């Protein structure tokens, strides 16, 4: 969470808020309350005026800490109630209460526990293997000690529960969730979902129920998992929908999965240009082999994304997945790639992982070019 102050205020109040932000040491971000979800989730503090409160009350932004109501006249009781629903705990009349606003903003910069990380994985084209990698990332995170929430929002996929062999385990599915004003209780959610193991909870849809997912339900679930301390891993479809756009804005890292082919490169570049422009950070994973000898670094350069990992397929994996037994070993190519993605989300200050069968670049730190004899993925 950055030390930015999100200002959702009319121009008449903007100068007053800007002075207070500067005095408290914030970087000011001014946004439209209709289109502010990404900034709402990431800003250290948010200042809203009555008109912004009215707009936000009809959107799916989650309740959060650090919201302050500002106005040039005492706000109405209805405004206060809506502001409190958003998380507001204090107010200031400007310019008279500038010193009070500066003090409250300064207090909000004190260190506090951050929410857990979140990543979304998307295939650049059919057969890239994004769902398998998403499940492997969730398993790797659980093996590392994280509590993990794996969300399958690909309504036309086979179901990520099938990959893990838990399709018959009891627990809630998407169609069972009752969303109350965009709020989901993270602790209750963890206990109610099917489990792949003690640390990994999985939410997918029912195959016998065609009720469509809603953006409100998906985004509220992502927010609830993060707020409760679960690392959230989302398996995204390759579609341009409100759900996909909302998840892209809500996670820390979007991972695009492609194969090292000319068509795979073209598809990855098209998806990156058209869908991933609003993502906080985007990385590329390449699953070999390359029939034409293209190197993963060449694909990454052409697409314009950092290479998080490149790995060779395991010929035994399809049989294991068909039997619902996805259990990639930590030393397997898939396991190493999954660990690289997990590290990119949670330990960006570490250097790149290394080892045979995978090359990584974590949080923008690129691994050195492969040696001439390295044929692990090409």
């Amino acid at each position: 969470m950055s030390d930015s102050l999100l200002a959702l205020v009319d121009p008449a109040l903007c100068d007053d808020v800007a002075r207070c932000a500067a005095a408290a040491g914030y970087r000011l971000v001014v946004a439209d309350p209709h289109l502010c979800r990404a900034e709402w989730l990431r800003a250290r503090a948010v200042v809203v005026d009555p008109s912004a409160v009215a707009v936000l009350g009809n959107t799916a932004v989650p309740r959060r800490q650090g919201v302050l109501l500002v106005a040039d006249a005492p706000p109405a009781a209805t405004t206060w109630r809506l502001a409190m629903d958003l998380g507001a705990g204090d107010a200031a009349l400007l310019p008279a209460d500038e010193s009070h606003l500066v003090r409250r903003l300064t207090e909000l910069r004190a260190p506090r526990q951050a929410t857990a990380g979140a990543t979304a994985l998307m295939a650049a084209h059919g057969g890239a293997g994004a769902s398998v990698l998403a499940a492997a990332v969730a398993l790797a995170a659980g093996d590392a000690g994280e509590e993990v929430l794996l969300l399958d929002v690909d309504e036309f996929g086979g179901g990520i529960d099938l990959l893990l062999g838990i399709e018959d385990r009891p627990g809630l599915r998407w169609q069972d969730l009752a969303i109350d004003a965009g709020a989901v209780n993270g602790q209750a959610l963890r206990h109610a979902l099917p489990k792949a193991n003690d640390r990994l909870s999985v939410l997918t849809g029912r195959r016998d129920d065609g009720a469509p997912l809603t953006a409100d339900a998906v985004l509220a679930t992502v927010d609830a998992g993060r707020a409760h301390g679960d690392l959230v891993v989302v398996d995204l479809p390759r579609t341009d929908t409100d759900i996909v756009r909302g998840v892209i804005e809500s996670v820390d890292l979007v991972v695009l999965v492609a194969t090292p082919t000319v068509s795979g490169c073209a598809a990855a570049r098209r998806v990156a240009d058209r869908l991933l422009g609003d993502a906080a950070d985007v990385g590329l994973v390449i699953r070999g082999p390359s029939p034409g000898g293209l190197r993963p670094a060449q694909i990454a350069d052409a697409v314009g994304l950092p290479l998080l990992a490149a790995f060779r397929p395991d010929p035994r994996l399809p049989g294991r997945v068909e039997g619902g037994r996805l259990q990639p070993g930590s030393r397997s190519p898939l396991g190493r790639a999954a660990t690289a993605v997990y590290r990119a989300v949670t330990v960006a200050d570490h250097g790149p992982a290394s080892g045979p069968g995978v090359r990584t670049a974590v949080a923008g730190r690129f691994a050195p070019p492969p040696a001439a004899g390295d044929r692990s993925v090409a």
Side-chain angles (χ1 to χ4, degrees), residues 26-47:
Y26 283 85
R27 177 178 63 87
L28 185 66
V29 177
V30 180
D32 182 342
H34 293 89
L35 302 168
C36 69
R37 179 178 175 82
E39 294 85 356
W40 177 272
L41 294 171
R42 298 184 182 116
R44 173 69 64 182
V46 182
V47 173

Side-chain angles (χ1 to χ4, degrees), residues 209-275:
D209 189 333
L213 295 181
T214 66
D216 284 352
V218 172
L219 300 182
T221 303
V222 172
D223 296 335
R226 299 190 68 173
H228 190 243
D230 295 343
L231 179 79
V232 178
V233 179
V234 187
D235 181 23
L236 276 183
R238 193 175 64 260
T239 55
D240 188 359
T241 64
D242 289 342
I243 291 175
V244 171
R245 293 281 183 181
V247 170
I248 288 171
E249 290 182 354
S250 300
V251 300
D252 303 301
L253 174 70
V254 178
V255 179
L256 192 61
V257 186
T259 56
T261 61
V262 172
S263 61
C265 176
R269 184 165 186 171
R270 187 160 54 245
V271 171
D273 289 343
R274 295 185 181 181
L275 284 180

Side-chain angles (χ1 to χ4, degrees), residues 118-326:
T119 184
L121 292 92
M122 175 188 291
H125 51 82
S131 294
V132 172
L133 183 57
V137 170
L139 290 167
D143 289 343
E146 299 272 5
E147 296 288 344
V148 187
L149 178 59
L150 176 59
L151 305 180
D152 178 7
V153 300
D154 187 354
E155 297 181 83
F156 297 102
I160 211 162
D161 53 343
L162 284 171
L163 295 178
L164 297 167
I166 62 169
E167 66 273 14
D168 294 326
R169 295 189 183 176
L172 296 183
R173 269 60 177 183
W174 281 116
Q175 291 84 353
D176 302 317
L177 285 184
I179 304 300
D180 181 14
V184 176
N185 184 289
Q187 182 173 4
L189 185 67
R190 179 188 290 175
H191 290 300
L193 296 180
K195 303 288 192 299
N197 55 46
D198 290 342
R199 293 188 176 274
L200 175 54
S201 303
V202 181
L203 181 54
T204 186
R206 295 188 184 278
R207 274 167 281 276
D208 58 354
D209 189 333
L213 295 181
T214 66
D216 284 352
V218 172
L219 300 182
T221 303
V222 172
D223 296 335
R226 299 190 68 173
H228 190 243
D230 295 343
L231 179 79
V232 178
V233 179
V234 187
D235 181 23
L236 276 183
R238 193 175 64 260
T239 55
D240 188 359
T241 64
D242 289 342
I243 291 175
V244 171
R245 293 281 183 181
V247 170
I248 288 171
E249 290 182 354
S250 300
V251 300
D252 303 301
L253 174 70
V254 178
V255 179
L256 192 61
V257 186
T259 56
T261 61
V262 172
S263 61
C265 176
R269 184 165 186 171
R270 187 160 54 245
V271 171
D273 289 343
R274 295 185 181 181
L275 284 180
L276 304 183
D278 295 330
D281 201 0
V282 185
L284 184 68
V285 171
I286 299 296
R287 183 179 65 85
S290 172
L294 287 174
R295 308 296 300 182
Q298 292 175 304
I299 301 291
D301 288 343
V303 177
L305 294 176
L307 181 65
L308 296 179
F311 68 103
R312 61 183 182 271
D314 180 352
R316 298 168 296 179
L317 185 63
R320 293 173 180 170
V321 170
E322 190 68 19
R325 296 185 301 274
L326 180 63

